[in-house]
Amino acid sequence: MRFGISFLIKCLCSSLLLVFLLLTFPLGTAIAQAAEQKQAAQPPMKFILVRSFLCEENCAEWISAEGRITSDTPAQLKKVLKKIGGRKLPVVFRSEGGDVDAAYAMGRMIRKAGLETAVGGTLLKGCPVEDTRCEAAIAKDGPSVGDTYSAGGYCFSACPLALAGGTSRVSSQWAAIGVHQITTIYNKVRVSYRIEYKIVNGKKKEISRKEVGRKSAGQSSSTKLGKRASTALTAYLKEMGVSQDVIGLMMSATPDNINIVSSAEALRTGLITDMLSYNEWPGMPLCAPDAAAEAVCHGHPVAEAPVAAATPLSTAPPQKSAMVTSETLPKTGPMDFLLMYHGNCQEECTQWISADGDITPETPARLEALLKTLGERKLPVVLQSNGGDMDAAFAMGRMIRAAGLETSIGRTQLPNCPKLDPRCKASIAKSGPTEGEVFAGGGYCLSTCTLVLMSGTPRMIGYSTIGLVRPTTAEYTKFFAYFDEMGASAETFETMMLATSIERKTILRSQALDLGIINGIIPYGDEPGDRLCGPDAKESLRCPRKIEGAIVPAAAASN
């Protein structure tokens, strides 16, 4: 006999009632990247429109973004973007990270608006160091007045994902970018239902379900990158033009730790597109290709005279570095080599080979003479040159590679020498090494000098300018054969050069890494070549072990 019975869940047997009342499921999954899951050190992110006080007119402006990224942060950013209209102001981040989904949303908003991003902090005018964005200095209407800084700037956890939204994204050796595993937090909720059944053919059939209560049942978390989270992260990085290798960097550090991404790795993966030079600051916009030397922007193009497309690489006029176009360049002559030292050589004494000047057909013989005096000692070669003879550059590069020497770019300054003659003859030692200092800031290696640079093992740069020229048809074969010989990417360089009509071209650090012209960035606190201790230096933190061999005369190779 068929019949129907309708009844309430509370009328069920107690064991069945227990099953339904204890039904638990995750509600509103949240993804966060927070060291030790606390995030209390930083308040929620706040955006401030800031104008530089280091100018009188046409002052640069930027959006200062500091604090923890929360679910509300994208809405706050949206308000700021609406306020500035269509103005392309850089966003300067200083953040411990936070909500990943919010970071995705911010990155997409920044990319859609065509804005640039940078890592750094903002110090508002009149604020103390311990409270750099004090309330008293925040303008009620219009931009606040302040300055930015790199030293101590950081972008951790989810922050690099928001940073990736920039059309141009920069950092410096004094700032830090860090990533770690994504932590997925599940909020558990215990839900109670009122359910009606009817019996059909002897079987229960649910006909209605109504929620009658819910109660928090705590939280659980997981660092396992689930399918949904992995798909979202992969798609976002691809959308922003960032390498999937970033996922490996993230997974290599637990949520309790931060994997600090080196400058070279950040450039290689695309987390940043360039590094700020020693005289550039976060919030500077990227220079336009035709930017004037005095323009307030980063990545100045090289100032150069027009040349015919068929100008041979080996006879092209010297180029001037982008970093030194605002002042008179030091006089240059044929390249000479000086064996240098820095320090008193009783405690900490570093040594390097300073190679400065134009590359001529005679330059390889001078280098060979110096290398013979060094014997088996492997001192770094620090280059500064406008370039010159291509065949001579090839010969120098092969000598350096055979000797297994490091190369880098930098300015060598001798004591008591004027700015326009930093290697004045009066300060060159008549025998033995010459005392001096070396700096990356303002250094340059242009045209065929870059062919020499790429021969180093390793080959590194700091805040220096690299430039390279497209070869002529006659030079094409041997030019790219040399690239292959040095392990650089000839195909990538050819593609890059064919994409532009410019015969002389500066190369971004990210491009130089991709090409294999360089394979590292000089660490913060170091200068080019100033890292190898002399044979008489005492063992110390800077000189962890003594270098065998004697300091040899260099006078024969210095001219």
Short mmCIF file of all heavy atoms in Angstrom, two decimals, residues 326-361:
data_model
loop_
_atom_site.label_atom_id
_atom_site.label_comp_id
_atom_site.label_asym_id
_atom_site.label_seq_id
_atom_site.Cartn_x
_atom_site.Cartn_y
_atom_site.Cartn_z
N SER A 326 74.67 64.35 -18.05
CA SER A 326 74.34 65.65 -17.48
C SER A 326 75.58 66.44 -17.08
O SER A 326 75.49 67.56 -16.62
CB SER A 326 73.44 65.45 -16.25
OG SER A 326 74.11 64.68 -15.29
N GLU A 327 76.74 65.87 -17.26
CA GLU A 327 77.96 66.58 -16.92
C GLU A 327 79.04 66.27 -17.95
O GLU A 327 78.90 65.37 -18.77
CB GLU A 327 78.43 66.18 -15.52
CG GLU A 327 78.68 64.69 -15.40
CD GLU A 327 79.02 64.31 -13.98
OE1 GLU A 327 78.14 64.36 -13.12
OE2 GLU A 327 80.19 63.94 -13.73
N THR A 328 80.09 67.01 -17.96
CA THR A 328 81.17 66.77 -18.91
C THR A 328 81.85 65.44 -18.61
O THR A 328 82.18 65.14 -17.47
CB THR A 328 82.21 67.90 -18.81
OG1 THR A 328 81.56 69.14 -19.02
CG2 THR A 328 83.28 67.72 -19.87
N LEU A 329 82.01 64.63 -19.65
CA LEU A 329 82.65 63.33 -19.47
C LEU A 329 84.15 63.47 -19.30
O LEU A 329 84.76 64.36 -19.88
CB LEU A 329 82.36 62.45 -20.68
CG LEU A 329 80.96 61.85 -20.79
CD1 LEU A 329 80.77 61.26 -22.17
CD2 LEU A 329 80.77 60.80 -19.73
N PRO A 330 84.78 62.59 -18.52
CA PRO A 330 86.24 62.58 -18.45
C PRO A 330 86.84 62.32 -19.83
O PRO A 330 86.23 61.69 -20.68
CB PRO A 330 86.53 61.42 -17.49
CG PRO A 330 85.26 61.22 -16.71
CD PRO A 330 84.17 61.58 -17.64
N LYS A 331 88.05 62.82 -20.01
CA LYS A 331 88.73 62.60 -21.28
C LYS A 331 89.03 61.11 -21.44
O LYS A 331 89.37 60.43 -20.48
CB LYS A 331 90.03 63.41 -21.33
CG LYS A 331 89.82 64.91 -21.30
CD LYS A 331 91.15 65.64 -21.33
CE LYS A 331 91.93 65.41 -20.05
NZ LYS A 331 93.20 66.19 -20.03
N THR A 332 88.89 60.60 -22.66
CA THR A 332 89.21 59.21 -22.91
C THR A 332 90.29 59.10 -23.96
O THR A 332 90.37 59.90 -24.87
CB THR A 332 87.97 58.41 -23.38
OG1 THR A 332 87.49 58.99 -24.61
CG2 THR A 332 86.87 58.45 -22.34
N GLY A 333 91.13 58.10 -23.81
CA GLY A 333 92.18 57.81 -24.77
C GLY A 333 92.22 56.31 -24.95
O GLY A 333 91.31 55.59 -24.52
N PRO A 334 93.25 55.78 -25.57
CA PRO A 334 93.36 54.33 -25.73
C PRO A 334 93.34 53.63 -24.37
O PRO A 334 93.87 54.14 -23.38
CB PRO A 334 94.72 54.17 -26.41
CG PRO A 334 94.93 55.46 -27.14
CD PRO A 334 94.35 56.51 -26.24
N MET A 335 92.71 52.48 -24.32
CA MET A 335 92.55 51.75 -23.05
C MET A 335 93.90 51.38 -22.44
O MET A 335 94.81 50.93 -23.14
CB MET A 335 91.72 50.48 -23.28
CG MET A 335 91.49 49.66 -22.01
SD MET A 335 90.35 48.28 -22.25
CE MET A 335 88.78 49.16 -22.26
N ASP A 336 94.01 51.64 -21.14
CA ASP A 336 95.17 51.16 -20.40
C ASP A 336 94.70 50.32 -19.23
O ASP A 336 93.52 50.32 -18.88
CB ASP A 336 96.10 52.30 -19.96
CG ASP A 336 95.44 53.22 -18.94
OD1 ASP A 336 94.22 53.08 -18.71
OD2 ASP A 336 96.14 54.07 -18.37
N PHE A 337 95.62 49.59 -18.62
CA PHE A 337 95.29 48.67 -17.55
C PHE A 337 96.12 49.00 -16.32
O PHE A 337 97.34 49.16 -16.40
CB PHE A 337 95.57 47.22 -17.99
CG PHE A 337 94.78 46.80 -19.19
CD1 PHE A 337 95.29 46.97 -20.47
CD2 PHE A 337 93.51 46.27 -19.05
CE1 PHE A 337 94.56 46.58 -21.58
CE2 PHE A 337 92.76 45.89 -20.16
CZ PHE A 337 93.29 46.05 -21.43
N LEU A 338 95.44 49.12 -15.18
CA LEU A 338 96.12 49.38 -13.92
C LEU A 338 95.78 48.28 -12.93
O LEU A 338 94.61 47.90 -12.78
CB LEU A 338 95.69 50.73 -13.33
CG LEU A 338 96.11 52.00 -14.07
CD1 LEU A 338 95.52 53.22 -13.36
CD2 LEU A 338 97.62 52.11 -14.13
N LEU A 339 96.79 47.76 -12.26
CA LEU A 339 96.55 46.85 -11.15
C LEU A 339 96.27 47.72 -9.93
O LEU A 339 97.11 48.52 -9.52
CB LEU A 339 97.78 45.96 -10.91
CG LEU A 339 97.67 44.99 -9.73
CD1 LEU A 339 96.52 44.02 -9.93
CD2 LEU A 339 98.98 44.24 -9.55
N MET A 340 95.08 47.59 -9.36
CA MET A 340 94.62 48.48 -8.28
C MET A 340 94.52 47.74 -6.94
O MET A 340 94.34 46.53 -6.90
CB MET A 340 93.25 49.04 -8.64
CG MET A 340 93.17 49.79 -9.95
SD MET A 340 94.18 51.30 -9.97
CE MET A 340 93.54 52.14 -8.53
N TYR A 341 94.61 48.53 -5.87
CA TYR A 341 94.31 47.98 -4.55
C TYR A 341 93.56 49.03 -3.74
O TYR A 341 93.70 50.24 -3.97
CB TYR A 341 95.57 47.53 -3.82
CG TYR A 341 96.40 48.65 -3.20
CD1 TYR A 341 96.18 49.06 -1.88
CD2 TYR A 341 97.41 49.28 -3.93
CE1 TYR A 341 96.94 50.07 -1.32
CE2 TYR A 341 98.16 50.29 -3.37
CZ TYR A 341 97.93 50.68 -2.06
OH TYR A 341 98.68 51.69 -1.51
N HIS A 342 92.76 48.55 -2.81
CA HIS A 342 91.99 49.44 -1.94
C HIS A 342 92.13 48.93 -0.51
O HIS A 342 91.83 47.78 -0.22
CB HIS A 342 90.51 49.46 -2.34
CG HIS A 342 89.68 50.37 -1.48
ND1 HIS A 342 88.41 50.03 -1.07
CD2 HIS A 342 89.95 51.58 -0.96
CE1 HIS A 342 87.92 51.02 -0.34
NE2 HIS A 342 88.84 51.97 -0.25
N GLY A 343 92.59 49.76 0.39
CA GLY A 343 92.83 49.36 1.78
C GLY A 343 94.30 49.49 2.10
O GLY A 343 95.13 49.80 1.25
N ASN A 344 94.64 49.24 3.36
CA ASN A 344 96.05 49.43 3.76
C ASN A 344 96.91 48.19 3.53
O ASN A 344 98.10 48.20 3.78
CB ASN A 344 96.13 49.83 5.25
CG ASN A 344 95.50 48.79 6.16
OD1 ASN A 344 95.40 47.62 5.82
ND2 ASN A 344 95.10 49.24 7.34
N CYS A 345 96.29 47.13 3.04
CA CYS A 345 97.00 45.89 2.69
C CYS A 345 97.66 45.22 3.89
O CYS A 345 98.44 44.30 3.71
CB CYS A 345 97.99 46.11 1.55
SG CYS A 345 97.17 46.30 -0.04
N GLN A 346 97.41 45.72 5.07
CA GLN A 346 97.83 45.04 6.28
C GLN A 346 96.62 44.41 6.95
O GLN A 346 96.73 43.43 7.66
CB GLN A 346 98.52 46.03 7.25
CG GLN A 346 99.76 46.67 6.66
CD GLN A 346 100.80 45.66 6.23
OE1 GLN A 346 101.09 44.72 6.95
NE2 GLN A 346 101.34 45.84 5.04
N GLU A 347 95.48 45.00 6.72
CA GLU A 347 94.23 44.46 7.26
C GLU A 347 93.39 43.92 6.10
O GLU A 347 93.52 42.78 5.71
CB GLU A 347 93.47 45.56 8.04
CG GLU A 347 94.25 46.11 9.22
CD GLU A 347 94.41 45.08 10.33
OE1 GLU A 347 93.62 44.12 10.38
OE2 GLU A 347 95.35 45.23 11.14
N GLU A 348 92.54 44.76 5.52
CA GLU A 348 91.70 44.36 4.41
C GLU A 348 92.13 45.09 3.14
O GLU A 348 92.08 46.31 3.08
CB GLU A 348 90.23 44.66 4.72
CG GLU A 348 89.72 43.88 5.91
CD GLU A 348 88.28 44.21 6.25
OE1 GLU A 348 87.78 45.24 5.78
OE2 GLU A 348 87.67 43.44 6.99
N CYS A 349 92.55 44.32 2.17
CA CYS A 349 93.11 44.92 0.97
C CYS A 349 92.55 44.19 -0.24
O CYS A 349 92.82 43.01 -0.43
CB CYS A 349 94.63 44.80 1.00
SG CYS A 349 95.45 45.27 -0.54
N THR A 350 91.72 44.85 -1.03
CA THR A 350 91.16 44.23 -2.22
C THR A 350 91.92 44.68 -3.46
O THR A 350 92.47 45.77 -3.49
CB THR A 350 89.67 44.58 -2.36
OG1 THR A 350 89.52 45.99 -2.37
CG2 THR A 350 88.86 44.02 -1.21
N GLN A 351 91.91 43.83 -4.48
CA GLN A 351 92.65 44.15 -5.71
C GLN A 351 91.81 43.85 -6.95
O GLN A 351 90.96 42.95 -6.93
CB GLN A 351 93.94 43.33 -5.77
CG GLN A 351 94.98 43.77 -4.74
CD GLN A 351 96.32 43.10 -4.99
OE1 GLN A 351 96.52 41.96 -4.64
NE2 GLN A 351 97.23 43.85 -5.62
N TRP A 352 92.04 44.60 -8.00
CA TRP A 352 91.35 44.39 -9.26
C TRP A 352 92.17 45.00 -10.39
O TRP A 352 93.13 45.74 -10.15
CB TRP A 352 89.95 45.00 -9.23
CG TRP A 352 89.91 46.50 -9.17
CD1 TRP A 352 89.75 47.37 -10.21
CD2 TRP A 352 90.02 47.33 -8.00
NE1 TRP A 352 89.75 48.67 -9.77
CE2 TRP A 352 89.92 48.68 -8.43
CE3 TRP A 352 90.20 47.06 -6.64
CZ2 TRP A 352 89.99 49.75 -7.53
CZ3 TRP A 352 90.27 48.13 -5.76
CH2 TRP A 352 90.17 49.45 -6.21
N ILE A 353 91.77 44.68 -11.63
CA ILE A 353 92.39 45.28 -12.81
C ILE A 353 91.43 46.33 -13.36
O ILE A 353 90.29 46.02 -13.72
CB ILE A 353 92.64 44.21 -13.90
CG1 ILE A 353 93.56 43.11 -13.37
CG2 ILE A 353 93.22 44.84 -15.15
CD1 ILE A 353 93.60 41.88 -14.28
N SER A 354 91.86 47.56 -13.40
CA SER A 354 91.05 48.63 -13.97
C SER A 354 91.39 48.78 -15.45
O SER A 354 92.53 49.05 -15.81
CB SER A 354 91.33 49.95 -13.23
OG SER A 354 90.67 51.03 -13.89
N ALA A 355 90.37 48.58 -16.30
CA ALA A 355 90.54 48.70 -17.76
C ALA A 355 89.71 49.87 -18.23
O ALA A 355 88.48 49.78 -18.29
CB ALA A 355 90.11 47.41 -18.45
N ASP A 356 90.37 50.97 -18.57
CA ASP A 356 89.65 52.21 -18.87
C ASP A 356 90.17 52.82 -20.16
O ASP A 356 91.37 52.96 -20.36
CB ASP A 356 89.86 53.18 -17.70
CG ASP A 356 88.87 54.33 -17.73
OD1 ASP A 356 88.90 55.11 -18.69
OD2 ASP A 356 88.08 54.45 -16.79
N GLY A 357 89.23 53.19 -21.05
CA GLY A 357 89.60 53.86 -22.28
C GLY A 357 89.04 53.18 -23.52
O GLY A 357 88.30 52.19 -23.43
N ASP A 358 89.38 53.71 -24.67
CA ASP A 358 88.87 53.20 -25.94
C ASP A 358 89.66 51.97 -26.37
O ASP A 358 90.88 51.90 -26.24
CB ASP A 358 88.97 54.27 -27.02
CG ASP A 358 88.16 55.52 -26.68
OD1 ASP A 358 87.13 55.37 -25.98
OD2 ASP A 358 88.55 56.62 -27.09
N ILE A 359 88.95 51.00 -26.93
CA ILE A 359 89.57 49.75 -27.40
C ILE A 359 90.19 49.98 -28.78
O ILE A 359 89.49 50.35 -29.72
CB ILE A 359 88.54 48.62 -27.45
CG1 ILE A 359 87.97 48.36 -26.05
CG2 ILE A 359 89.16 47.34 -28.01
CD1 ILE A 359 86.81 47.40 -26.02
N THR A 360 91.48 49.80 -28.87
CA THR A 360 92.21 49.99 -30.13
C THR A 360 92.85 48.67 -30.54
O THR A 360 92.89 47.72 -29.75
CB THR A 360 93.30 51.06 -29.97
OG1 THR A 360 94.33 50.54 -29.10
CG2 THR A 360 92.73 52.35 -29.37
N PRO A 361 93.41 48.59 -31.74
CA PRO A 361 94.07 47.34 -32.16
C PRO A 361 95.23 46.95 -31.25
O PRO A 361 95.59 45.77 -31.18
CB PRO A 361 94.57 47.67 -33.58
CG PRO A 361 93.60 48.71 -34.08
CD PRO A 361 93.27 49.54 -32.88
#
